[in-house]
């Protein structure tokens, strides 16, 4: 009975980030949380593991603060956690190396990632992981049905949906719409504190921590609105003018 690996990320809570009048970004008061999209991915992984009859493990990499995220992650139905400790915050490249290295050492049917993270939304982790493992990859996934040695996957495309069959083992990145992310109860949170979390380092897995990207600066932005006022003597006239305005903007 093959297992399911779910990658998740411990990120800054964007609700706590402050933008100054000069568009400077202040992260000083920001607490941390599991990436919101990963909550849906964890629930998807749990449901998929029920289909395979295996276990579901959560994998996350990062510095010391990442360890705190495992109680929340495990309370959402994961059987165990694997923390790959790195010297700093890990981007998609490092996360993919860590997930791929863990997957190689286990009997894994499927690696599940969210489509992106709420801090940078690079949308690269699943594709990078699949490339490192040389496994089939499906992105923008809306549903997964495990069928023996294959997975039937429904994907959202531009203007349509696509159904594909993946040969296992494989990697998928799921959209939040795949399933809700239930809020854990007190009993689940207490039980999570007793679940095992294996601690590894990048050196243990033989992976590098270089990211190849240096953030030069960060700043806020201001949305410029056109403030177009649609007027008319009747609701029909207003609706007609609104449609014409949207067409001029290329929305319709």
């Amino acid at each position: 009975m093959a297992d399911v690996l779910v990658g998740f990320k411990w990120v800054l809570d964007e609700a706590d980030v402050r933008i100054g009048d000069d568009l400077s970004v202040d992260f000083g008061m920001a607490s941390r949380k599991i990436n919101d999209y990963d909550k849906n991915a964890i629930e998807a992984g749990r449901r998929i593991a029920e289909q395979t009859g295996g276990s579901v493990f959560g994998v996350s990499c990062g510095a010391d603060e990442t360890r705190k995220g495992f109680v929340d992650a495990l309370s959402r139905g994961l059987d165990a956690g694997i923390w790959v400790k790195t010297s700093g915050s890990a981007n998609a490249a490092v996360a993919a190396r860590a997930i791929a290295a863990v997957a190689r050492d286990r009997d894994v049917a499927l690696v599940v990632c969210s489509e992106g993270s709420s801090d940078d939304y690079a949308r690269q982790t699943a594709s990078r992981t699949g490339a490192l493992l040389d496994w089939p990859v499906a992105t923008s996934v809306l549903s997964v049905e495990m069928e023996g040695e294959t997975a039937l996957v429904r994907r959202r495309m531009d203007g349509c949906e696509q159904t594909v069959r993946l040969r296992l083992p494989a990697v998928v990145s799921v959209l939040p719409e795949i399933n809700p992310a239930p809020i854990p109860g007190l009993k689940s949170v207490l039980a999570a504190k007793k679940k095992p979390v294996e601690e590894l380092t990048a050196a243990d897995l033989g992976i590098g921590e270089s990211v190849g990207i240096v953030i030069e600066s960060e700043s806020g932005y201001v949305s410029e609105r056109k403030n177009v006022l649609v007027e008319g003597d009747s609701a029909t006239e207003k609706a007609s003018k609104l449609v014409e305005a949207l067409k001029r903007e290329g929305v319709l």
Side-chain angles (χ1 to χ4, degrees), residues 4 14 22 32 45 59 66 68 89 96 107 114 123 129 143 145 160 184 196 211 213 217 242 248-249 252:
V4 176
E14 62 273 13
D22 60 352
R32 289 185 176 269
V59 183
T66 304
K68 301 175 183 177
S89 179
D107 182 19
S114 63
R123 304 178 67 184
T129 302
S143 68
E145 294 295 332
C160 67
V211 297
I213 296 175
S217 64
L242 174 60
R248 287 195 299 272
E249 296 297 326
L252 298 177

Side-chain angles (χ1 to χ4, degrees), residues 12 15 28 31 41 46 65 84 86 88-89 101 104 149 178 183 189 191 210 216 223 249:
L12 291 173
S31 57
R46 186 191 67 78
E65 65 270 10
V84 181
T86 58
S89 179
R104 287 192 192 99
E149 299 300 315
I178 191 170
I183 299 174
V189 174
S210 62
E216 296 287 346
S223 298
E249 296 297 326

